[in-house]
């Protein structure tokens, strides 16, 4: 299978383009770009920088991928953008490459849907199988786990972490960490509960889900902060042996910006 490049597209001779890639009208592909098989690049897409794109990704019109970071410390270093396989990037999605402040890589996993006007800032570490609705912005150094769903118009501040399986309502301003399988919304963000539907979809059994819900409610009712709560062994003894709770506790313990407050 051959590569299909529209006559109006500008593709550097140094770019690496695999088989069965299509590149639409007026798109621009830079010299340090590698695009693997079965990708579809729509009209007027700009892919630049040291960027690696895995197989079977779709980029709709006007996406900007691998652009320089919006950070005054960036001095043109050959930092990177790495994108996995099977993602869909709708119109006007923008992803900026990393900076030397972090590991120099903005990384996107596999099989996620990024709706129109989503922005991923420099050094973002993004998981797999996520859905991000329109006009959501991720500032630099944000970390997002797998199977996260984020409603449209949400804004995520720098250095925030969103745990896997979290569900975020639309128009949410996130300036604190969201633990795994939690639901949250609001400006500023507050924790609303646990994502029971998300756990069911991932095959978590009912007894374990019930324990997670009990843990969340106990922590919410406590006068202690989440960090202080999980450090008390007497609070944790009842929930020993639950892998989801153990992961949630580990997330809370390493939070650098703090956990979002309860609703």
């Amino acid at each position: 299978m051959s590569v299909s490049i529209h006559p109006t597209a500008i593709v550097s001779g140094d770019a690496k383009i695999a088989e069965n890639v299509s590149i639409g009208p007026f798109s621009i592909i830079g010299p340090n770009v590698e695009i693997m098989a079965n990708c579809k690049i729509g009209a007027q897409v700009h892919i630049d920088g040291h960027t690696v794109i895995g197989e079977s990704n779709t980029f709709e019109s006007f996406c900007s991928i691998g652009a320089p970071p919006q950070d005054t410390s960036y001095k043109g270093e050959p930092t990177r953008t790495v994108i996995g396989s099977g993602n869909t990037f709708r119109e006007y999605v923008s992803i900026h490459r990393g900076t030397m402040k972090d590991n120099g890589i903005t990384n996107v996993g596999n099989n996620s849907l990024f709706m129109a006007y989503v922005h991923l800032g420099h050094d973002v570490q993004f998981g797999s199988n996520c859905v991000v609705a329109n006009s959501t912005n991720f500032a630099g150094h944000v970390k997002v786990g797998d199977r996260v769903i984020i409603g449209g118009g949400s804004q995520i501040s720098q250095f925030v972490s969103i745990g896997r399986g979290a569900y975020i309502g639309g128009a949410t301003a996130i300036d604190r960490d969201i633990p795994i399988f939690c639901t949250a919304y609001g400006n500023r963000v507050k924790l609303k509960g646990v994502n029971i539907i998300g756990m069911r979809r991932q095959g978590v059994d009912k007894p374990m889900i019930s324990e997670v819900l009990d843990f969340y409610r106990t922590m919410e009712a406590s006068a202690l902060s989440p960090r202080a709560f999980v450090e008390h062994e007497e609070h944790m003894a009842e929930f020993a042996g639950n892998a989801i709770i153990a992961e949630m506790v580990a997330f809370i313990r390493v939070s650098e910006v703090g956990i979002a407050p309860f609703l």
Side-chain angles (χ1 to χ4, degrees), residues 30-46:
N32 299 305
V33 173
E34 179 178 359
I35 302 176
M36 299 183 187
N38 305 313
C39 288
K40 175 188 174 184
I41 314 298
Q44 303 191 60
V45 173
H46 188 190

Side-chain angles (χ1 to χ4, degrees), residues 41-87:
I41 314 298
Q44 303 191 60
V45 173
H46 188 190
I47 304 177
D48 200 8
H50 290 77
T51 298
V52 177
I53 296 172
E55 296 184 356
S56 302
N57 290 287
T58 298
F59 299 86
E60 299 293 350
S61 300
F62 306 107
C63 287
S64 175
I65 309 299
Q70 298 176 119
D71 189 298
T72 57
S73 72
Y74 182 72
K75 305 301 180 185
E77 298 90 348
T79 54
R80 304 172 63 203
T81 305
V82 177
I83 295 174
S85 300
N87 299 289

Side-chain angles (χ1 to χ4, degrees), residues 160-174:
V160 162
S161 294
I162 301 176
R164 73 179 184 95
Y167 182 92
I168 311 299
T172 293
I174 303 176

